[in-house]
Amino acid sequence: MIQLQQDSEGFIRMKRHFPASTPVTIVFSDGSQEVFAGGRLNEIYDEALAVYRAQNQLDAKGFSRGPQKKVQTGIEFVAVRPGMGQ
């Protein structure tokens, strides 16, 4: 079992995928908690990563096809809210 704490802005720290069958408990900033399946959190992470890449004109693999400059290709924080576990 993995336990994560939501920060005051509504994000959890998630730099990688979790094992799909692992239960992950998220303690929200209001004190409530919810158990997510690792696979569901991985889906939420993938959706957030896709939005980030689209907003920064990156392709599906995270590469910039524009002029060469240093671009962060990943995310570290994912927005979550109660009820997303279903």
Side-chain angles (χ1 to χ4, degrees), residues 1-2 18-24 35-40 42:
M1 165 102 73
I2 299 171
F18 293 118
S21 61
T22 302
V24 180
V35 177
F36 287 74
R40 177 64 183 133
N42 293 342

Side-chain angles (χ1 to χ4, degrees), residues 1 3 6 11 22 25 35 40 48 50 52 54 62 65-66 81-82:
M1 165 102 73
Q3 184 169 0
Q6 182 186 42
F11 294 92
T22 302
T25 302
V35 177
R40 177 64 183 133
Y52 171 82
R65 300 296 179 197
R81 63 184 181 281

Side-chain angles (χ1 to χ4, degrees), residues 10-22:
F11 294 92
I12 58 168
R13 186 176 193 143
M14 185 175 172
K15 296 175 79 168
R16 59 178 169 74
H17 280 177
F18 293 118
S21 61
T22 302

